[in-house]
Amino acid sequence: MSNRLSTLLALGASVLLPVAAASADDPAPGKALYEQRCAGCHDRASDRTPSREILSRNPPAFILSAMSQVMAPMAAGLSQDEMKAIALYLSAAAPQPGDPNPNAIWGPSSAQLPLDGPKCEGPLPPIDLSSPQWNGWSPRPDNARYQPDPGFAAADVPRLKVKWAFHYPGSKNGQATVIGNRLYVTSMSGAVYALDARSGCVYWRFDSLAATRSSVSIGRIANRPGHRTALYFSDWTKSAVAIDAETGEPIWRTKVDDSTGLQMTGSPTLHDGVLLVPVSTGNEAFARNDDYVCCKFIGSLVALDANSGEILWKTYTTDKKPEPYRLNAKGRQMWGPSGGSIWSAPTIDPARGLIYVATSNSHTDAFHDGADAVIAMDIKTGAVRWKNQLLKDDNYIIGCPAAANCPHPVGPDFALGDSVILHTLKDGKQMLIAGQKSGDVYALDPDADGKIIWRHRLSSGSALGGVEFGSAADGDNVYVGISDVVNFRDPKPGLTAIRIADGTILWNTPAPKTPCRWTNVFCSGAISMAVTAIPGVVFAASMDGHFRAYAADDGNVVWDFNTAADPINDVLGKPAYGGVMDGAGPTIVNGMVYVHSGYAGRSTANIYDLKGKEGNLLIAFSVDGK
């Protein structure tokens, strides 16, 4: 093995050793195995499950990695050769009979896959970290998702038009990070792209070993010869990853947890040479399998040295370790406590030397004091300084009450899935703003161990309801999107403005009902995607594919663009579609607005043929499309 290949393998780049692919020229074994083990979910994809069409766009190496990592519980009992057969059968990038080197597909995939857009001409411009930027989940570490200098005025917003669109595989993709004329974005296909922010051409593509949906952070890196600037993200190999932001070359990869079913969803936060990585799980889905060992996962925050990848500290959301505590309905041993995922980006409070995280529900009925909580940790050591559990005993897994692993009683799944906002009032006093899937919005006192200052319940919430991916705050108000997509009692999807100083509700704009290309429950005005604000305007997208701008003073809609109704020509000149808008929100910088349209499984329905029309676009808008 060459030193180069050894290094890449150690770093976890998209390289696998060549192997004998017995099924490469015969799809029958892979077809039979797929139909037996996989088709039941992926041929009838819904919610979080990617469709077969989406899977087929990924290279075999990626599909194999998924079966070995996040999908390991579903692939249990399959041999390596059987998993390879399934990967080769599914992938449109698999070698065809007669290919001179059919095993090459298990080699460096970045060299074999298309860039998904035109290659940028000329030398790469240097990265200037002093240029206008949106770096990570929010422009500032307070996670307010507020861009004070968008590069256009509020009066220009009605003139926003599509400048370019980038159509790429994967879905539930990451939010755009922009540094000057560079744009970086991740993909659930495992691809990380560096694009030109003005034109959408591609500088490079890096293929990670597994899915990634985190927003990336860019920063200087030291003591790494040949590397000046690093791009940091996490992927579903349970790892934090650093690659060269100039070239896409790998720098380091560090596994931060080894629990079964990890889903690295929250965006890492880079602060003062330390990368803070939130850890979350898919346990609540896997535990619906009655034979799954439920449940040993505990959410955590991991701090790594940004230069070396060395783990500095790791803090779990509860001090209690999972232990055997009772048998499930089929007599299998259950473990607890479990849960307390951190689904969102950590928030930095440099003055107090603290990090704030919001946590998800518990998975078992063994008490978890860190579930559905806001937790303050010491930046240097990770020590928990205070913890405010906003809802106790929210014990939840999917499939209850039928699943054998169901907790007693079953909770409502009212996770806190958004990043805490650290807001400073005009008199200097600070508050923490947190949203919950219950429909609650809280203002907490960071100087009183997170004591509640005010609270509003904007809806009755649901498992996919209330506040989902995040709110935005300007100098005076917080703007809260309500989803309620599966709230069948009294759904209240829409956008609400609350004055932070005293908790006064200023306005509420209910979501309009509009038709969609798809016919499932996600044809909804639900505002689940994270919200973004600029002076005078709030941008919020809904699941029906509409991307809207609201006047900050009264909530009136001043601009509305349907990303999903008609095809949009991508940077290759091909027609492509948007879809459900959910997840990571709009990025606004340097006169441009970037937003993702398309979310796995939600823009399709079995009763409605959308083949070739599934939504998966990164769309760039500018004033008059210039």
Side-chain angles (χ1 to χ4, degrees), residues 141 143 269 271 274-278 301-304 313 315 342 344-358 374-387 420 422 432:
N143 278 334
T269 295
H271 174 72
V274 176
L275 188 70
L276 298 155
V277 181
L301 183 68
V302 185
L304 300 95
W313 52 260
T315 299
I342 303 175
S344 53
T347 301
I348 306 298
D349 184 345
R352 294 179 180 84
L354 296 177
I355 307 159
Y356 304 111
V357 296
V374 174
I375 304 176
M377 302 178 186
D378 186 277
I379 286 180
K380 293 183 178 179
T381 66
V384 173
R385 297 305 182 199
W386 56 259
K387 182 184 298 186
V420 177
L422 174 61
L432 301 173

Side-chain angles (χ1 to χ4, degrees), residues 522-534:
F522 300 109
C523 180
S524 166
I527 298 178
S528 177
M529 177 179 274
V531 178
T532 298
I534 65 171

Side-chain angles (χ1 to χ4, degrees), residues 241-473:
V241 185
I243 63 177
D244 192 300
E246 300 269 4
T247 65
E249 291 293 314
I251 299 175
W252 56 254
R253 171 183 291 269
T254 302
K255 181 175 282 190
V256 297
D257 200 293
D258 201 27
S259 302
T260 301
L262 244 63
Q263 294 183 351
M264 306 291 287
T265 297
S267 299
T269 295
L270 181 65
H271 174 72
D272 198 21
V274 176
L275 188 70
L276 298 155
V277 181
V279 180
S280 53
T281 184
N283 257 4
E284 65 185 37
F286 298 144
R288 70 187 301 173
N289 178 345
D290 294 346
D291 294 324
Y292 184 78
V293 179
C294 178
C295 291
K296 296 183 179 182
F297 169 85
I298 299 290
S300 64
L301 183 68
V302 185
L304 300 95
D305 184 293
N307 290 322
S308 66
E310 176 188 0
I311 294 178
L312 304 175
W313 52 260
K314 180 174 184 177
T315 299
Y316 292 94
T317 53
T318 182
D319 290 334
K320 298 180 179 179
K321 295 183 179 180
E323 296 178 346
Y325 78 104
R326 70 170 173 86
L327 302 182
N328 73 7
K330 291 194 173 181
R332 291 196 59 133
Q333 182 66 60
M334 292 190 69
W335 295 63
S338 177
S341 287
I342 303 175
W343 289 103
S344 53
T347 301
I348 306 298
D349 184 345
R352 294 179 180 84
L354 296 177
I355 307 159
Y356 304 111
V357 296
T359 70
S360 184
N361 53 278
S362 169
H363 299 147
T364 68
D365 43 46
F367 179 67
H368 188 313
D369 65 343
D372 289 358
V374 174
I375 304 176
M377 302 178 186
D378 186 277
I379 286 180
K380 293 183 178 179
T381 66
V384 173
R385 297 305 182 199
W386 56 259
K387 182 184 298 186
N388 185 347
Q389 187 170 34
L390 298 171
L391 180 63
K392 295 182 179 180
D393 299 321
D394 182 14
N395 312 315
Y396 177 82
I397 67 168
I398 296 172
C400 292
N405 288 318
C406 287
H408 306 296
V410 178
D413 186 18
F414 282 166
L416 285 86
D418 63 339
S419 293
V420 177
I421 296 172
L422 174 61
H423 182 80
T424 304
L425 299 172
K426 288 183 171 60
D427 63 4
K429 180 175 175 56
Q430 291 185 311
M431 296 185 189
L432 301 173
I433 309 299
Q436 193 171 5
K437 288 163 66 175
S438 60
D440 287 288
V441 182
Y442 304 84
L444 308 177
D445 189 343
D447 292 319
D449 295 345
K451 180 182 177 181
I452 296 175
I453 300 172
W454 55 256
R455 170 184 179 179
H456 284 294
R457 191 162 192 184
L458 303 180
S459 80
S460 59
S462 68
L464 290 176
V467 184
E468 290 283 330
F469 283 92
S471 307

